[in-house]
Amino acid sequence: MTRMAGTPAQTIAYPAPGSRPRKVSSERTAPHVIVLFGATGDLARRKLLPGLAHLTTSALAPDLRIVATSLEEMDDAAFAGFARAAVEEFGIHGVGQEQLDAFCEQLSYVPTSAGAEALSAAVGRARAELGEDAHLLHYLSVPPKSAFAVMAMLREAGLVEGSRVIMEKPFGTDLESAIELNDHLHETFSEDQIFRIDHFLGKEAAQNILAFRFANGLFEPIWNRNFIDHVQIDIPETLGLGRRASFYESTGAYKDMVVTHLFQVLAFVAMEPPTALEPRAISEEKNKVFRSLLPIDPAHVVRGQVAGYRDQEGVAPDSDTETFIALRCDIDNWRWAGVPFYLRTGKQLAEGQRIISIAFKEAPRSMFAVNSGVGSAGPDHLTFDLAEESKVSLSFYGKRPGPGMFLEKLSMQFSTRDTERAGDVLEAYERLLLDAMRGDHTLFTTSEGIESLWARSQDLLDDPPPVKPYAPGSWGPNAIHQLIAPHAWRLPFERVWREQR
């Protein structure tokens, strides 16, 4: 198994709700120079620059300098203006003007055309400002085809030794391409230097799965085939493809979302208890889940294509690319034998949601009258909402007030906004950037894990079922109901989350 380096996480003290946290541990994360490739792209504008601004101006991160590089020709001042606009438009933490000024002073920009020597010089200047113990982290917010060129530039610039690199998806498009990509990466970086990012695992709610499972005697004893009937991981999106249609044409919903995101979430739900809450142990348990995953059966897959997709620029008039996919998968181990996992995601659907729903087996109902209401609303569910505002709900049957024995579905709900530390929730990219600086691989994907998933996807990639049309604003093709029968999809919810009063 690949060795994974880790740095002890620093302790954060929270003096009062709403105030800035302060570092109290003597084991501080070293200062960092972050080299941001693709710094003028959409991901950098919407997530990375606002996230780095928050980390830089809070007490959470060490001292930072950011060296940005991209294809656009601009100087430091022009890029600072670009970054300022990005933070003002997309920042979620309310960075003040003085703090934003301080953040912009820590930015420098090197156009890609300036070459490796100019990049190396800029990094050298940034490191000199931070001191001899400054570490180096590269973030590759670039298309997959550009990753090899970035690797070559880093080697030429002498910026590989002792550094770490964050890689964005996709991590290949099949087993062969994944192996080729990993082999190419390993020519430059060792596995413990590579952080393959999945922002879904950076969400507070995704990590709450580990807390619920392994910190509570209430749930862990029933987290198995004896008590759980089935599991749903449902990530519908209302957004279309916009200008991404030409990229999406060679990818599709399965490669874009299922392998990279939904299977990673599935591993958190299905993994065995790790020997310790540390990166190597957790990564190994996730990889065991991937090795136990049965090959995806095309007969248990529904592929859909939204009406109008073929009319978009860059899309073939006879395209068979799916913009929607729903599938059943099975894990062949002692804990989960016979428990189906249903996954669904797609574009231009009725709602944008990110839920994990654990359906428990129904209790015997012989003691209740036929018209009592028990069973009418389906099984009990434990539901995790992976939206930024982390929510958890447990539904169950209870007696309706009044005469007689009539039952209805009730629920207990929790949200991080109900706690004193609601303001301390980090956006997913912020958390993962911090983890990478600390050398913590817990929430990142390994080469072994990603290759296992592609291997189990090969039957589907070789013989995909034909796409079925669906209307924008729907829940996908009608065949999804036959796929999950005799169960039913949890979305759309019949009940809404309770609002805070």
Side-chain angles (χ1 to χ4, degrees):
M1 182 171 62
T2 303
R3 180 182 64 83
M4 293 190 176
T7 303
Q10 60 197 17
T11 302
I12 306 295
Y14 297 86
S19 62
R20 289 280 184 184
R22 55 186 175 85
K23 299 170 189 169
V24 297
S25 174
S26 59
E27 298 183 10
R28 297 171 62 93
T29 303
H32 269 71
V33 176
I34 297 179
V35 183
L36 179 56
F37 291 87
T40 58
D42 195 55
L43 176 62
R45 188 169 67 95
R46 291 176 175 271
K47 295 293 185 181
L48 302 181
L49 289 170
L52 286 167
H54 173 60
L55 294 178
T56 301
T57 57
S58 73
L60 292 169
D63 293 333
L64 298 178
R65 295 294 183 273
I66 299 158
V67 178
T69 181
S70 194
L71 296 175
E72 282 71 15
E73 297 290 333
M74 60 175 70
D75 57 17
D76 291 352
F79 182 74
F82 174 87
R84 181 184 296 275
V87 175
E88 290 175 343
E89 183 176 0
F90 297 107
I92 62 174
H93 296 289
V95 178
Q97 284 302 313
E98 290 185 7
Q99 295 171 321
L100 187 51
D101 290 342
F103 170 66
C104 290
E105 289 175 1
Q106 297 174 9
L107 302 173
S108 60
Y109 184 84
V110 180
T112 304
S113 61
E117 186 176 346
L119 180 64
S120 180
V123 172
R125 290 191 295 271
R127 276 182 141 169
E129 294 177 11
L130 293 175
E132 295 181 356
D133 64 338
H135 290 188
L136 188 57
L137 175 64
H138 308 294
Y139 197 117
L140 273 60
S141 179
V142 298
K145 63 183 180 182
S146 302
F148 292 173
V150 171
M151 295 292 152
M153 176 176 274
L154 291 174
R155 289 194 300 268
E156 185 179 350
L159 299 176
V160 173
E161 185 176 358
S163 67
R164 297 181 178 125
V165 58
I166 298 178
M167 300 289 300
E168 277 285 345
K169 70 179 180 83
F171 311 120
T173 56
D174 54 20
L175 179 59
E176 182 180 357
S177 62
I179 292 174
E180 180 185 4
L181 175 61
N182 286 328
D183 287 347
H184 191 91
L185 290 174
H186 292 153
E187 291 175 3
T188 304
F189 292 97
S190 60
E191 181 65 18
D192 65 342
Q193 291 177 279
I194 302 169
F195 293 75
R196 298 171 186 82
I197 194 168
D198 174 14
H199 69 276
F200 274 60
L201 297 189
K203 295 179 180 296
E204 198 79 27
Q207 295 164 75
N208 232 349
I209 298 169
L210 298 182
F212 262 73
R213 287 196 56 192
F214 303 130
N216 296 293
L218 176 64
F219 292 108
E220 179 52 28
I222 61 173
W223 208 267
N224 57 58
R225 57 187 167 81
N226 296 320
F227 297 93
I228 293 178
D229 185 76
H230 67 279
V231 177
Q232 295 180 34
I233 302 174
D234 207 351
I235 317 288
E237 298 181 279
T238 57
L239 296 176
L241 293 167
R243 293 178 295 177
R244 295 181 66 238
S246 59
F247 159 77
Y248 204 82
E249 176 69 356
S250 61
T251 305
Y254 184 80
K255 296 177 181 179
D256 185 53
M257 287 290 293
V258 177
V259 175
T260 309
H261 295 316
L262 275 67
F263 279 153
Q264 306 301 325
V265 174
L266 180 149
F268 266 26
V269 175
M271 64 188 282
E272 295 296 319
T275 55
L277 196 65
E278 57 91 19
R280 180 193 291 187
I282 291 176
S283 292
E284 175 56 20
E285 295 305 332
K286 287 171 58 183
N287 288 340
K288 285 181 183 177
V289 173
F290 299 147
R291 291 195 293 268
S292 300
L293 189 67
L294 291 175
I296 305 301
D297 184 352
H300 293 158
V301 176
V302 175
R303 297 168 69 239
Q305 188 181 90
V306 68
Y309 171 74
R310 296 178 182 179
D311 300 330
Q312 298 185 60
E313 184 178 353
V315 175
D318 59 347
S319 173
D320 190 53
T321 298
E322 80 278 357
T323 60
F324 169 97
I325 192 161
L327 64 141
R328 168 182 169 156
C329 55
D330 296 89
I331 299 173
D332 187 22
N333 63 19
W334 187 268
R335 182 183 293 265
W336 297 111
V339 178
F341 286 72
Y342 298 101
L343 282 55
R344 177 172 65 170
T345 187
K347 301 292 185 182
Q348 293 181 256
L349 297 178
E351 295 179 21
Q353 295 276 1
R354 298 171 179 178
I355 71 154
I356 304 165
S357 187
I358 315 295
F360 293 99
K361 292 185 176 180
E362 296 189 64
R365 298 191 297 273
S366 57
M367 63 178 287
F368 295 100
V370 174
N371 63 349
S372 67
V374 67
S376 60
D380 299 337
H381 285 85
L382 177 64
T383 303
F384 296 88
D385 188 332
L386 300 186
E388 299 299 341
E389 193 176 89
S390 173
K391 300 176 184 176
V392 182
S393 172
L394 179 63
S395 69
F396 54 92
Y397 284 100
K399 182 184 179 299
R400 182 188 304 167
M405 179 58 76
F406 297 101
L407 291 91
E408 62 184 357
K409 207 71 170 193
L410 307 173
S411 68
M412 293 186 291
Q413 297 182 4
F414 160 81
S415 172
T416 53
R417 69 184 174 188
D418 298 329
T419 72
E420 293 183 348
R421 300 211 171 156
D424 297 333
V425 174
L426 289 175
E427 197 275 333
Y429 282 97
E430 295 169 356
R431 178 184 302 278
L432 295 170
L433 279 162
L434 275 178
D435 285 353
M437 283 187 265
R438 295 168 180 166
D440 186 342
H441 281 83
T442 302
L443 302 177
F444 295 86
T445 304
T446 66
S447 59
E448 177 188 346
I450 202 68
E451 289 174 15
S452 291
L453 291 174
W454 283 123
R456 282 143 187 80
S457 302
Q458 200 60 52
D459 288 351
L460 175 61
L461 299 179
D462 290 341
D463 186 25
V467 294
K468 299 177 182 294
Y470 66 95
S474 69
W475 285 100
N478 288 332
I480 61 172
H481 302 297
Q482 286 75 49
L483 173 70
I484 202 171
H487 314 299
W489 292 100
R490 283 279 280 159
L491 289 176
F493 284 133
E494 294 181 1
R495 298 177 306 281
V496 298
W497 292 99
R498 287 196 294 269
E499 297 298 325
Q500 188 178 32
R501 295 178 180 177

